[in-house]
Amino acid sequence: MSASLHRREVVAALLAERGDLLVVAGLGASAWDCAAAGDHPLTFSLWGGMGQATMMGLGLACARPRRRVLVVTGDGEMLMGLGALATVGVQGPANLAVVVLDNERYGETGMQPTHTAHGVDLAAVAKACRFVRTSTVTREDEVPGLRWAIHEAPGPLLAVVKVLAESPPLVLPPRDGALLKERFRGALLQQPAPSS
Amino acid sequence: MDSGVTQVAYVPDAGHKRLIELCHAEPRMRAVPLTSEEEGVGLTAGAWLGGVKSVVLMQSSGVGNVVNALAMARECRFPLVMLVTMRGEDGETNPWQLPMGGAAAAVLEAMGAEVHRADKPEDVAPTVRTAIVRAYDAHAGETAVAVLVAQLVIGVKRFVEVSG
């Protein structure tokens, strides 16, 4: 499938006016895309743990059922944790959305083709794993509808967004994992100071 | 429940059979079956970002599946409690269980996890209690902790062929 969408523009549109959205960014370009959209204490960016992004999203979505949780990841990262789609399907969290930025490449290691370049369809896998809302986005005019669904539609949702195989300039999130954890928990869990 | 743990994720092992049933029967507990043990590391981390404490149940063979995920737990100092029922120890009748059973403790320690053993039935509850406190100890620094439950505590699996 020939893609025309730019990953940075898609992620910037999906994270615009994000409200109280909680975000997990899969390692590599997806994390850089989220950082380019604006570093945020409620974005947890993975620098390792390949294959774990969706499971982290599941844990977070089940822990905070009144918040919307978005996992932004790549096709290679998703393929490494394919079992997570089955595990999410069994738990069925209505507040979880997974967006796979699918450039059909391992972008960080030399643009080698992933299985999706050979026709493996991650949206179809998610549908078979009981995700209630799945789609493949190829056009810019479909992005606002995806943003709406991430915030409003009952999930679990998985959208494959076909993006160009390009490497935009690096924009890096903090790389200290303990710091990322502490600031996320601080922003999410700390009670506001009582007003006197 | 006094530990504050409200989520138990697992790849089943016969040694955890009763515990898994109890978790599913307890309305205040979320029981999450996994396809592979490494999923439990990500699940535990995400749950803790949201303020929920978890325990992951696995057989010793599953320790081999969690190794790279343990790197994430260590770098981020995520708490992680693994209850590992051992195979490949005294009385094992499946030789394929010997390599991972023999390596489980060393592999966990190499990845920075704290390893405790429960060699007698009466050791299990206090050791698990200690592990949960250690893993979620905000003062000492959150960490990964494994409790290895000896194969003799669980009982040895027998393979009996039906003849004829």
Side-chain angles (χ1 to χ4, degrees):
Chain A
M1 192 179 302
S2 65
S4 61
L5 290 170
H6 296 282
R7 55 188 309 141
R8 284 283 162 86
E9 293 173 8
V10 170
V11 171
L14 294 179
L15 294 181
E17 296 172 48
R18 59 186 272 176
D20 63 1
L21 191 66
L22 308 176
V23 178
V24 176
L27 87 171
S30 309
W32 322 153
D33 295 335
C34 290
D39 187 33
H40 194 290
L42 293 176
T43 295
F44 190 89
S45 298
L46 287 155
W47 283 77
M50 187 164 175
Q52 293 292 324
T54 296
M55 286 307 301
M56 288 194 70
L58 175 62
L60 187 53
C62 292
R64 312 302 296 184
R66 291 189 183 83
R67 299 290 286 261
R68 302 294 296 201
V69 176
L70 171 64
V71 175
V72 181
T73 193
D75 45 311
E77 204 276 344
M78 191 70 254
L79 285 162
M80 192 172 280
L82 220 44
L85 295 177
T87 299
V88 168
V90 171
Q91 295 301 312
N95 59 330
L96 178 63
V98 179
V99 168
V100 180
L101 301 167
D102 184 5
N103 63 359
E104 306 182 352
R105 298 289 186 278
Y106 292 102
E108 297 295 304
T109 57
M111 288 289 178
Q112 300 87 348
T114 65
H115 291 12
T116 64
H118 300 281
V120 171
D121 182 347
L122 290 169
V125 174
K127 185 172 187 184
C129 289
R130 307 183 16 159
F131 276 62
V132 301
R133 194 179 180 99
T134 59
S135 60
T136 299
V137 169
T138 57
R139 299 193 319 268
E140 195 174 347
D141 62 4
E142 297 173 293
V143 174
L146 175 57
R147 183 188 170 281
W148 171 85
I150 289 164
H151 283 273
E152 303 289 343
L157 168 166
L158 183 138
V160 170
V161 181
K162 290 288 185 182
V163 296
L164 290 160
E166 58 184 356
S167 298
L170 287 181
V171 181
L172 301 177
R175 69 184 82 184
D176 179 337
L179 177 149
L180 287 165
K181 176 193 71 170
E182 291 303 330
R183 75 170 188 170
F184 193 106
R185 283 175 48 80
L188 179 60
L189 303 173
Q190 270 173 12
Q191 300 297 317
S195 55
S196 52
Chain B
M1 294 300 289
D2 60 351
S3 64
V5 171
T6 57
Q7 178 166 267
V8 173
Y10 64 92
V11 174
D13 178 60
H16 288 308
K17 182 172 185 293
R18 182 73 183 127
L19 179 56
I20 292 167
E21 290 166 356
L22 288 168
C23 291
H24 276 284
E26 169 56 61
R28 290 169 295 178
M29 192 71 77
R30 175 182 286 272
V32 183
L34 310 170
T35 71
S36 176
E37 292 80 358
E38 66 200 276
E39 292 175 14
V41 181
L43 184 84
T44 295
W48 187 234
L49 288 180
V52 164
K53 293 184 184 179
S54 312
V55 166
V56 185
L57 314 181
M58 67 185 77
Q59 185 187 86
S60 50
S61 52
V63 170
N65 291 346
V66 304
V67 176
N68 189 48
L70 290 177
M72 175 185 76
R74 183 174 180 177
E75 160 57 22
C76 301
R77 274 182 265 132
F78 274 119
L80 176 65
V81 180
M82 296 168 277
L83 300 194
V84 182
T85 40
M86 294 303 296
R87 295 289 304 270
E89 295 186 336
D90 296 343
E92 177 64 59
T93 58
N94 178 0
W96 295 50
Q97 287 283 359
L98 297 176
M100 197 64 240
V107 165
L108 288 162
E109 284 172 348
M111 292 307 297
E114 199 176 289
V115 176
H116 301 255
R117 276 192 69 95
D119 288 318
K120 300 192 293 292
E122 59 269 31
D123 293 344
V124 175
T127 310
V128 170
R129 208 171 291 129
T130 300
I132 294 169
V133 170
R134 283 285 307 121
Y136 285 95
D137 186 341
H139 301 293
E142 294 156 353
T143 190
V145 183
V147 175
L148 309 188
V149 181
Q151 186 156 359
L152 288 176
V153 170
I154 300 303
V156 174
K157 183 172 182 176
R158 301 283 177 203
F159 296 88
V160 181
E161 288 185 274
V162 179
S163 56

